[in-house]
Amino acid sequence: FFLTPQSLYVLLVDDRRQHTEFDYWFNIIRILGGNSSILVVLNEKNYKSITNFSLKTYSERYPELNIERRDVDFSVEDGRFEGLSRKIQEMLSNLEHVGDELPAKWILIRTKLEQLKGRNYISVEEYFRICDSHGIKEEDKKLLLSKYLHNLGVLLHFQDDSSLSNTIFLNPQWVVHGIYSILSDKQLEKNNGRFSKTWLFKLWTTKGYSFQEKNLLLNLMRKDNLDLCYQMNFSHKDEYIFPQLLPAEKPDYEWNDKRNLEFRFQYPFMPKGIIPHLIVRLSSFISKNGLDTDLVWQKGVVFIKNDDIRNKKDIDEEDLTKAEVIEGINKDGIRSINIRISGLDQEKKELLAIIRKELFDIHKRFGNILFYQKIPCNCEACLASMNPHFFDYDYEIVRRLQAKVFFVDCGKSFQKVEIPR
C-alpha cells in the first residue's frame, strides 16, 4: 500500500541474522516500485559480512533495478554512517524525475499541504479549494497533482477507492504508525489476530488518536479499503480478525471429496498477503468450524456459498457448496493457490467465478502480477494419481474451445481427454 514508483528504497539488512529475503524484496519493489533505486545497507559485525550478499548476482538478476550496496556497523563510530548519509543524498538526487519541470502552481500547493501536515488528513473538498485558490480549477488537473504527490509519498490519496477517495492523508507516517502499532501488538498476536473494537480504540487512545481519527483508521483497514481486517459475521459484538496473525496450522474439518471442481493459480513470484486479502474480501462467505470460529488460518480458508440453508432440516451435506482455498508450494519452490470445490455442479462454477474475480482484483492491487491458471487432467491415470497433470487454462483449454477443439492430450498419460464445457 505504501510502495510507490520513482522512489529510493533503503533495504536495511541485519547481517548478523541472515534472515533477509532479498529476492522477495527485490521482486516486490520491482512490481510496485517500478524502475526505482535500491540501496542495500548491510549492518555487519566486526567488519565481517555473514550473508555474503552478491551485488553482481542481484544486479544481473534484476537489471531493471538500480541496486547499490553499503556496509556499516551501527555499533561503532567509524565514519561509515556519515558516508551512508551522503550516499543516500546522492542517490536521491539522481532519481529520474528529480529536476523535472513542474507547473509553478504545483509547488505552491505542495508547500501549503505540507504546512497542514499537523492535521494528518483533510477532505478532498478542502484540497480542491486549495487548488482553486492557486488557480487550478479543473478537477482532472487537481487529481493529476494528488496522484503525483501520492507517488512521491508526500501524501496518500486512494483515488480508485470510492470509500477512501474523499480523504487526503497529509501525513503518510501517521497512517503507517496507526496500522502497525496494532499489527505489532503482542496481545493481538496472542489472540491470533482477533480483537474487539473496544480494545482497539483503547489502544489507539493511549497513542493520542481522537475518536474521529480512530473511526477513520478502522474504516481504512476494513474490507473494500486496505482489506487488512474483517468483522466476524456470527458475533453480536464488534469483533474483528487480522488474517495475517491467524494460526499457521490448518484446522481439522470434514470434507466432501466427491466430484470436486479443482482450479489453481500458479505464480513465478507470489507476493505475501494474497490469501489474507482474499479472506477479508470474501469474509461473508467464510464457513464456520463450530459456533464461534471461522474456518480460516494463515495460508487458507473454507468458503461456503449456501450457508443460509445449512440449518434447515433434511439438508444433505453434499448439497452444501464449499470451496477450500489453500496457498501451497511445490518441490521446485513454485507457489500456488489451490482451490477445490464440492457441492452442486452449477453452484460450484458460480463459487469458483466469485473467487477468481476477487483474485483478479487483488492481482491488480499488486500491480498486475504474473500468474497462470491451471486445471487438473481428468484422465484415468490422473484421477488415480496424487500428482495429476495440470493444463494451462488460458493457453490449452480456452484457446481450444474458441477454435471448437474439444479434446486435449494429457501431458502425463498422453491419453486424449475431452474438455468439459
Side-chain angles (χ1 to χ4, degrees):
F1 301 109
F2 307 113
L3 302 188
T4 57
Q6 296 182 309
S7 301
L8 168 62
Y9 291 91
V10 180
L11 181 58
L12 177 61
V13 181
D14 189 345
D15 213 19
R16 304 162 184 175
R17 296 187 178 182
Q18 309 182 67
H19 289 164
T20 304
E21 300 176 80
F22 288 106
D23 280 300
Y24 178 83
W25 283 109
F26 291 152
N27 269 302
I28 203 70
I29 291 172
R30 175 179 57 81
I31 290 173
L32 296 175
N35 296 327
S36 293
S37 296
I38 303 174
L39 178 60
V40 177
V41 180
L42 299 177
N43 182 22
E44 60 187 31
K45 184 177 182 180
N46 297 328
Y47 293 92
K48 293 180 180 179
S49 174
I50 298 174
T51 60
N52 295 316
F53 172 80
S54 172
L55 177 61
K56 183 176 183 295
T57 297
Y58 286 108
S59 295
E60 291 175 351
R61 191 176 298 172
Y62 303 96
E64 65 272 43
L65 297 175
N66 173 33
I67 305 173
E68 298 198 37
R69 164 184 174 166
R70 278 294 183 274
D71 294 36
V72 296
D73 186 340
F74 289 111
S75 67
V76 298
E77 295 183 8
D78 57 4
R80 287 192 289 173
F81 177 76
E82 290 75 15
L84 172 63
S85 178
R86 290 192 296 271
K87 183 61 180 177
I88 290 174
Q89 293 178 47
E90 174 193 327
M91 294 185 71
L92 283 170
S93 300
N94 290 330
L95 291 176
E96 288 186 4
H97 64 281
V98 173
D100 285 352
E101 291 188 1
L102 298 174
K105 295 174 182 177
W106 283 23
I107 309 301
L108 296 174
I109 294 172
R110 173 176 175 168
T111 301
K112 178 61 177 179
L113 294 174
E114 290 182 331
Q115 291 173 352
L116 297 174
K117 264 192 176 179
R119 292 173 54 186
N120 295 317
Y121 61 92
I122 59 174
S123 68
V124 73
E125 288 82 6
E126 183 173 353
Y127 165 72
F128 283 168
R129 288 197 295 271
I130 292 172
C131 291
D132 288 335
S133 67
H134 288 85
I136 297 181
K137 306 292 185 179
E138 300 87 348
E139 183 177 291
D140 59 337
K141 292 182 179 179
K142 297 173 184 177
L143 294 175
L144 178 63
L145 173 56
S146 71
K147 182 176 182 179
Y148 179 81
L149 296 176
H150 175 99
N151 286 340
L152 285 182
V154 174
L155 52 78
L156 294 175
H157 187 202
F158 301 99
Q159 292 188 19
D160 297 329
D161 193 311
S162 58
S163 57
L164 291 177
S165 59
N166 291 325
T167 302
I168 303 282
F169 294 94
L170 299 174
N171 187 354
Q173 281 303 117
W174 177 81
V175 177
V176 173
H177 177 73
I179 293 174
Y180 283 96
S181 65
I182 304 304
L183 286 172
S184 61
D185 186 83
K186 296 299 181 183
Q187 185 60 46
L188 183 62
E189 186 177 344
K190 289 180 181 178
N191 291 339
N192 294 320
R194 185 169 174 173
F195 65 95
S196 68
K197 182 178 177 180
T198 301
W199 173 86
L200 177 67
F201 277 27
K202 282 183 178 179
L203 184 60
W204 271 335
T205 297
T206 65
K207 299 182 182 300
Y209 290 90
S210 69
F211 182 75
Q212 182 180 356
E213 291 171 341
K214 289 182 285 191
N215 280 290
L216 180 62
L217 282 176
L218 177 57
N219 188 48
L220 180 65
M221 295 190 302
R222 291 180 63 176
K223 178 183 175 183
D224 297 326
N225 295 332
L226 297 186
D227 295 335
L228 292 176
C229 67
Y230 70 92
Q231 188 169 7
M232 301 172 74
N233 299 321
F234 59 83
S235 177
H236 296 294
K237 305 174 184 178
D238 269 341
E239 291 191 313
Y240 298 81
I241 281 184
F242 275 110
Q244 298 93 328
L245 299 177
L246 284 166
E249 186 176 353
K250 177 184 174 183
D252 293 326
Y253 55 86
E254 295 183 357
W255 184 261
N256 170 25
D257 57 5
K258 295 181 180 178
R259 302 180 66 243
N260 282 188
L261 174 61
E262 295 186 47
F263 204 88
R264 173 180 292 175
F265 284 82
Q266 189 167 295
Y267 303 84
F269 167 71
M270 183 179 181
K272 297 175 182 178
I274 293 182
I275 288 292
H277 281 309
L278 184 67
I279 290 172
V280 173
R281 293 172 76 98
L282 291 181
S283 57
S284 61
F285 287 85
I286 295 175
S287 183
K288 303 294 181 290
N289 197 21
L291 295 176
D292 64 347
T293 306
D294 285 348
L295 203 46
V296 290
W297 60 104
Q298 278 187 16
K299 301 290 186 181
V301 57
V302 175
F303 297 120
I304 184 167
K305 185 174 186 295
N306 38 16
D307 194 35
D308 55 327
I309 69 170
R310 71 182 308 173
N311 294 321
K312 295 181 180 179
K313 295 182 180 180
D314 303 322
I315 295 297
D316 195 319
E317 185 69 21
E318 294 185 8
D319 291 335
L320 295 174
T321 303
K322 296 181 179 181
E324 178 190 74
V325 184
I326 300 177
E327 178 184 330
I329 183 170
N330 66 14
K331 59 183 177 60
D332 297 319
I334 303 298
R335 294 189 178 274
S336 61
I337 291 178
N338 303 306
I339 304 167
R340 62 171 178 167
I341 307 178
S342 66
L344 304 175
D345 286 344
Q346 184 57 38
E347 291 200 347
K348 286 190 292 188
K349 295 178 181 178
E350 292 173 359
L351 185 52
L352 177 60
I354 292 170
I355 295 170
R356 288 178 64 208
K357 178 189 178 300
E358 293 300 333
L359 284 172
F360 290 153
D361 288 343
I362 293 170
H363 292 160
K364 291 177 183 177
R365 176 168 276 181
F366 279 101
N368 283 315
I369 58 176
L370 180 62
F371 65 93
Y372 301 100
Q373 299 182 84
K374 306 274 188 174
I375 62 172
C377 176
N378 60 358
C379 73
E380 292 180 2
C382 288
L383 288 174
S385 173
M386 295 295 292
N387 185 28
H389 174 72
F390 272 78
F391 297 110
D392 184 286
Y393 178 73
D394 294 305
Y395 183 76
E396 295 182 277
I397 303 301
V398 173
R399 288 182 62 184
R400 276 178 167 78
L401 291 177
Q402 289 173 343
K404 301 189 182 303
V405 176
F406 304 115
F407 290 89
V408 61
D409 293 335
C410 172
K412 188 172 184 179
S413 68
F414 305 110
Q415 295 181 19
K416 195 170 288 293
V417 182
E418 185 175 4
I419 300 174
R421 283 163 278 169

